[in-house]
Amino acid sequence: MTGPTGLSARRTAPDLARGLMLVLIAVANAHLYLVDRPIGYRGYPAGLVGGDRVVAVVQMVLVDGRVYPLFAALVGYGLARLADRAPEGVLRRRGVVLIGVGALHGVLLFPGDIIGAYGLVVLLIAPVVATGPAAGPSAGSSRGLLAAAGAIAAFGVLLSTGQGTPQGVPTVPSIGAPTVGAFLAAHPGEWFATTLFSALLTAPAVLVGVVIARSGTLDDPVAHRRRLALWAVGGLAASVMLGLPLALAVVGTWVPAGVAAGLAGAAHTAGGYAGALGLLGVMGLLASVSWPGRDLIAAAGTWSMTLYLSQSVVFVAVFATVAGGLGSSASLTTATVTGLLVWLVGVLVAGLLARAGHRGPAELLVRRATYGHAPS
């Protein structure tokens, strides 16, 4: 077994995807902090007007339900790379560590945490992802992993039929809690429920990410531009078409009912998987050419977990009722712009530090807990 991959040996495309993914996460989470108002579909405020309606439609077809499967695919990519150099026990330990980080994040800050869900998936699939002589007959073929991903995704889509009706309450109710005690007391239950449901919905993307890593597509994006372009065009087209019905419901253009509501919810989730692949294709294409800021964003991508956690710190400080309190009055556009600014500052700070050879604090913690005292 070897230790963690050194900074100089990392691939540009996956790190660039992680850096760009962070802006999508910021945008996707921003509306969840808008509380103390009527809540409609997918946690968006009801009765959106003006520019907020445009922002909501764009988010629904390209970001909402798309970014966390994208994140999951990159987790799967990283898991496959870890399996190339470490035994199954290390993979399982990585899953346990991620669950621990997610629990701390969810209980102390944001119970909509996704890290714990990825940790649970990693822990469960470690035996079939492990490679090498010690892996034994349990190691899964790429075809088998794709078949399992398809079956789990179909079940997740079926469960998503309920998303075609208005929520009525915020996705994360504790954001509007009036006291710090109530804010913290609600977190364990919210985090646990979110983790289980998110693990189910994102497990297919983690498995697909493992297969993508094995294919080498992101390792050499220049040589795979045709495949990446196919992902981008096909994935994003499906994402828009499948996400548009529920997007129109979010802005009040129509009110789905009965079977139509169930189909709209299921289509949105199915479009999320397609959209994640489409976004990954776009990011791979962006990695295949040089452009200003590319290397800085890729460097920031090596701090992806640290930046993800720091976004929650800023959002809670600005929007939570027990802190800045802007969640009760900010518009969707304001929340989205706040997310963009948080990402931009994070990229500038983390990118410069990473290029100077520094790893993110969360990344160092996870690596030390996973590898013990292996050199970093």
Side-chain angles (χ1 to χ4, degrees):
M1 181 188 78
T2 62
T5 302
L7 289 173
S8 60
R10 296 178 69 98
R11 303 286 187 177
T12 298
D15 283 335
L16 178 65
R18 293 183 182 101
L20 292 172
M21 170 198 70
L22 289 165
V23 68
L24 300 177
I25 290 177
V27 169
N29 283 345
H31 78 276
L32 302 180
Y33 288 84
L34 303 181
V35 293
D36 294 335
R37 67 192 75 189
I39 301 297
Y41 301 86
R42 296 287 298 175
Y44 282 86
L48 295 174
V49 296
D52 282 356
R53 302 181 76 221
V54 177
V55 171
V57 169
V58 173
Q59 289 187 16
M60 283 292 292
V61 299
L62 294 177
V63 179
D64 186 277
R66 282 84 176 125
V67 61
Y68 282 121
L70 169 63
F71 196 172
L74 292 172
V75 169
Y77 174 92
L79 181 65
R81 287 290 166 260
L82 179 61
D84 289 340
R85 62 181 187 274
E88 180 186 328
V90 173
L91 272 63
R92 293 199 305 269
R93 194 181 310 143
R94 172 63 61 88
V96 172
V97 171
L98 292 180
I99 292 173
V101 172
L104 288 174
H105 179 218
V107 170
L108 297 178
L109 278 174
F110 180 54
D113 161 81
I114 197 68
I115 294 176
Y118 296 151
L120 179 58
V121 175
V122 168
L123 183 63
L124 293 175
I125 70 172
V128 298
V129 173
T131 58
S138 64
S141 67
S142 294
R143 183 173 297 180
L145 294 181
L146 289 177
I152 299 171
F155 182 60
V157 169
L158 181 63
L159 289 182
S160 299
T161 55
Q163 296 183 15
T165 56
Q167 288 184 196
V169 297
T171 302
V172 186
S174 57
I175 296 298
T179 65
V180 174
F183 176 76
L184 294 175
H187 283 180
E190 292 178 352
W191 175 78
F192 185 73
T194 298
T195 296
L196 293 181
F197 188 64
S198 297
L200 173 64
L201 290 183
T202 58
V206 176
L207 294 171
V208 170
V210 172
V211 176
I212 289 174
R214 292 177 176 178
S215 74
T217 303
L218 293 182
D219 296 330
D220 189 1
V222 175
H224 295 93
R225 282 177 179 160
R226 185 185 297 272
R227 178 183 297 172
L228 292 168
L230 180 62
W231 291 359
V233 174
L236 293 184
S239 177
V240 171
M241 289 188 294
L242 293 171
L244 192 57
L246 199 56
L248 295 178
V250 166
V251 298
T253 301
W254 77 308
V255 180
V259 175
L263 290 175
H268 186 74
T269 296
Y273 295 129
L277 187 62
L279 290 169
L280 190 59
V282 170
M283 293 171 179
L285 290 173
L286 289 174
S288 71
V289 296
S290 296
W291 44 276
R294 188 197 72 165
D295 293 341
L296 183 65
I297 295 175
T302 66
W303 283 50
S304 58
M305 183 179 293
T306 296
L307 291 179
Y308 169 70
L309 297 174
S310 68
Q311 287 180 4
S312 293
V313 174
V314 176
F315 282 162
V316 168
V318 172
F319 294 111
T321 301
V322 297
L326 290 182
S328 61
S329 59
S331 67
L332 176 62
T333 301
T334 298
T336 300
V337 171
T338 300
L340 293 173
L341 292 175
V342 170
W343 171 78
L344 180 60
V345 172
V347 164
L348 291 174
V349 174
L352 292 175
L353 288 172
R355 293 177 73 171
H358 301 288
R359 292 191 184 274
E363 285 73 18
L364 284 173
L365 173 64
V366 170
R367 286 169 181 272
R368 175 57 63 87
T370 299
Y371 291 100
H373 295 285
S376 63

